PDB file of all heavy atoms in Angstrom:
ATOM      1  N   LYS E  74     -11.087  16.626 -23.139  1.00 98.00           N
ATOM      2  CA  LYS E  74     -11.420  17.761 -24.014  1.00 98.00           C
ATOM      3  C   LYS E  74     -10.207  18.490 -24.549  1.00 98.00           C
ATOM      4  O   LYS E  74     -10.196  18.908 -25.697  1.00 98.00           O
ATOM      5  CB  LYS E  74     -12.352  18.734 -23.262  1.00 98.00           C
ATOM      6  CG  LYS E  74     -13.691  18.071 -22.891  1.00 98.00           C
ATOM      7  CD  LYS E  74     -14.825  19.053 -22.809  1.00 98.00           C
ATOM      8  CE  LYS E  74     -16.120  18.331 -23.031  1.00 98.00           C
ATOM      9  NZ  LYS E  74     -17.109  18.392 -22.076  1.00 98.00           N
ATOM     10  N   GLN E  75      -9.234  18.691 -23.651  1.00 97.00           N
ATOM     11  CA  GLN E  75      -8.113  19.484 -24.085  1.00 97.00           C
ATOM     12  C   GLN E  75      -6.959  18.703 -24.717  1.00 97.00           C
ATOM     13  O   GLN E  75      -6.213  19.191 -25.549  1.00 97.00           O
ATOM     14  CB  GLN E  75      -7.544  20.286 -22.908  1.00 97.00           C
ATOM     15  CG  GLN E  75      -8.549  21.349 -22.463  1.00 97.00           C
ATOM     16  CD  GLN E  75      -8.074  22.120 -21.257  1.00 97.00           C
ATOM     17  OE1 GLN E  75      -7.026  21.869 -20.724  1.00 97.00           O
ATOM     18  NE2 GLN E  75      -8.861  23.094 -20.871  1.00 97.00           N
ATOM     19  N   HIS E  76      -6.783  17.435 -24.271  1.00 96.00           N
ATOM     20  CA  HIS E  76      -5.644  16.662 -24.759  1.00 96.00           C
ATOM     21  C   HIS E  76      -6.040  15.383 -25.439  1.00 96.00           C
ATOM     22  O   HIS E  76      -5.208  14.513 -25.696  1.00 96.00           O
ATOM     23  CB  HIS E  76      -4.659  16.374 -23.604  1.00 96.00           C
ATOM     24  CG  HIS E  76      -4.253  17.606 -22.822  1.00 96.00           C
ATOM     25  ND1 HIS E  76      -3.471  18.591 -23.371  1.00 96.00           N
ATOM     26  CD2 HIS E  76      -4.613  18.053 -21.601  1.00 96.00           C
ATOM     27  CE1 HIS E  76      -3.309  19.559 -22.509  1.00 96.00           C
ATOM     28  NE2 HIS E  76      -4.004  19.271 -21.405  1.00 96.00           N
ATOM     29  N   GLY E  77      -7.340  15.225 -25.677  1.00 97.00           N
ATOM     30  CA  GLY E  77      -7.799  14.039 -26.422  1.00 97.00           C
ATOM     31  C   GLY E  77      -7.672  12.716 -25.713  1.00 97.00           C
ATOM     32  O   GLY E  77      -7.583  11.685 -26.385  1.00 97.00           O
ATOM     33  N   LEU E  78      -7.637  12.745 -24.388  1.00 97.00           N
ATOM     34  CA  LEU E  78      -7.585  11.461 -23.608  1.00 97.00           C
ATOM     35  C   LEU E  78      -8.779  10.574 -24.139  1.00 97.00           C
ATOM     36  O   LEU E  78      -9.933  10.994 -24.036  1.00 97.00           O
ATOM     37  CB  LEU E  78      -7.641  11.695 -22.150  1.00 97.00           C
ATOM     38  CG  LEU E  78      -7.456  10.472 -21.254  1.00 97.00           C
ATOM     39  CD1 LEU E  78      -5.985   9.945 -21.381  1.00 97.00           C
ATOM     40  CD2 LEU E  78      -7.738  10.788 -19.779  1.00 97.00           C
ATOM     41  N   ASP E  79      -8.445   9.400 -24.606  1.00 98.00           N
ATOM     42  CA  ASP E  79      -9.400   8.608 -25.375  1.00 98.00           C
ATOM     43  C   ASP E  79     -10.024   7.498 -24.515  1.00 98.00           C
ATOM     44  O   ASP E  79      -9.350   6.617 -23.991  1.00 98.00           O
ATOM     45  CB  ASP E  79      -8.691   7.995 -26.548  1.00 98.00           C
ATOM     46  CG  ASP E  79      -9.642   7.232 -27.470  1.00 98.00           C
ATOM     47  OD1 ASP E  79     -10.890   7.402 -27.321  1.00 98.00           O
ATOM     48  OD2 ASP E  79      -9.153   6.375 -28.274  1.00 98.00           O
ATOM     49  N   PHE E  80     -11.351   7.559 -24.372  1.00 98.00           N
ATOM     50  CA  PHE E  80     -12.080   6.533 -23.608  1.00 98.00           C
ATOM     51  C   PHE E  80     -12.860   5.585 -24.509  1.00 98.00           C
ATOM     52  O   PHE E  80     -13.682   4.824 -24.054  1.00 98.00           O
ATOM     53  CB  PHE E  80     -13.071   7.228 -22.667  1.00 98.00           C
ATOM     54  CG  PHE E  80     -12.413   7.971 -21.521  1.00 98.00           C
ATOM     55  CD1 PHE E  80     -11.968   9.253 -21.688  1.00 98.00           C
ATOM     56  CD2 PHE E  80     -12.257   7.364 -20.294  1.00 98.00           C
ATOM     57  CE1 PHE E  80     -11.354   9.968 -20.624  1.00 98.00           C
ATOM     58  CE2 PHE E  80     -11.647   8.033 -19.203  1.00 98.00           C
ATOM     59  CZ  PHE E  80     -11.192   9.360 -19.407  1.00 98.00           C
ATOM     60  N   SER E  81     -12.569   5.607 -25.814  1.00 98.00           N
ATOM     61  CA  SER E  81     -13.468   4.870 -26.742  1.00 98.00           C
ATOM     62  C   SER E  81     -13.333   3.341 -26.573  1.00 98.00           C
ATOM     63  O   SER E  81     -14.268   2.599 -26.958  1.00 98.00           O
ATOM     64  CB  SER E  81     -13.138   5.273 -28.156  1.00 98.00           C
ATOM     65  OG  SER E  81     -11.809   4.897 -28.505  1.00 98.00           O
ATOM     66  N   LYS E  82     -12.261   2.876 -26.007  1.00 98.00           N
ATOM     67  CA  LYS E  82     -12.096   1.422 -25.850  1.00 98.00           C
ATOM     68  C   LYS E  82     -12.225   0.980 -24.378  1.00 98.00           C
ATOM     69  O   LYS E  82     -12.101  -0.200 -24.031  1.00 98.00           O
ATOM     70  CB  LYS E  82     -10.727   0.996 -26.393  1.00 98.00           C
ATOM     71  CG  LYS E  82     -10.607   1.211 -27.879  1.00 98.00           C
ATOM     72  CD  LYS E  82      -9.339   0.484 -28.415  1.00 98.00           C
ATOM     73  CE  LYS E  82      -9.227   0.638 -29.907  1.00 98.00           C
ATOM     74  NZ  LYS E  82      -8.917   2.015 -30.312  1.00 98.00           N
ATOM     75  N   VAL E  83     -12.433   1.962 -23.492  1.00 98.00           N
ATOM     76  CA  VAL E  83     -12.476   1.671 -22.047  1.00 98.00           C
ATOM     77  C   VAL E  83     -13.819   1.027 -21.735  1.00 98.00           C
ATOM     78  O   VAL E  83     -14.829   1.314 -22.308  1.00 98.00           O
ATOM     79  CB  VAL E  83     -12.368   2.977 -21.261  1.00 98.00           C
ATOM     80  CG1 VAL E  83     -12.673   2.800 -19.782  1.00 98.00           C
ATOM     81  CG2 VAL E  83     -10.988   3.586 -21.475  1.00 98.00           C
ATOM     82  N   THR E  84     -13.766   0.087 -20.753  1.00 98.00           N
ATOM     83  CA  THR E  84     -14.983  -0.482 -20.165  1.00 98.00           C
ATOM     84  C   THR E  84     -15.003  -0.098 -18.695  1.00 98.00           C
ATOM     85  O   THR E  84     -13.979  -0.125 -18.043  1.00 98.00           O
ATOM     86  CB  THR E  84     -15.012  -2.023 -20.282  1.00 98.00           C
ATOM     87  OG1 THR E  84     -14.956  -2.394 -21.663  1.00 98.00           O
ATOM     88  CG2 THR E  84     -16.234  -2.609 -19.677  1.00 98.00           C
ATOM     89  N   THR E  85     -16.181   0.321 -18.194  1.00 98.00           N
ATOM     90  CA  THR E  85     -16.250   0.718 -16.805  1.00 98.00           C
ATOM     91  C   THR E  85     -17.269  -0.121 -16.008  1.00 98.00           C
ATOM     92  O   THR E  85     -18.291  -0.542 -16.579  1.00 98.00           O
ATOM     93  CB  THR E  85     -16.687   2.179 -16.607  1.00 98.00           C
ATOM     94  OG1 THR E  85     -17.969   2.380 -17.210  1.00 98.00           O
ATOM     95  CG2 THR E  85     -15.664   3.116 -17.283  1.00 98.00           C
TER      96      THR E  85
END
Side-chain angles (χ1 to χ4, degrees):
K74 295 209 156 123
Q75 292 178 357
H76 308 290
L78 187 67
D79 183 17
F80 290 84
S81 63
K82 296 192 177 68
V83 170
T84 300
T85 61

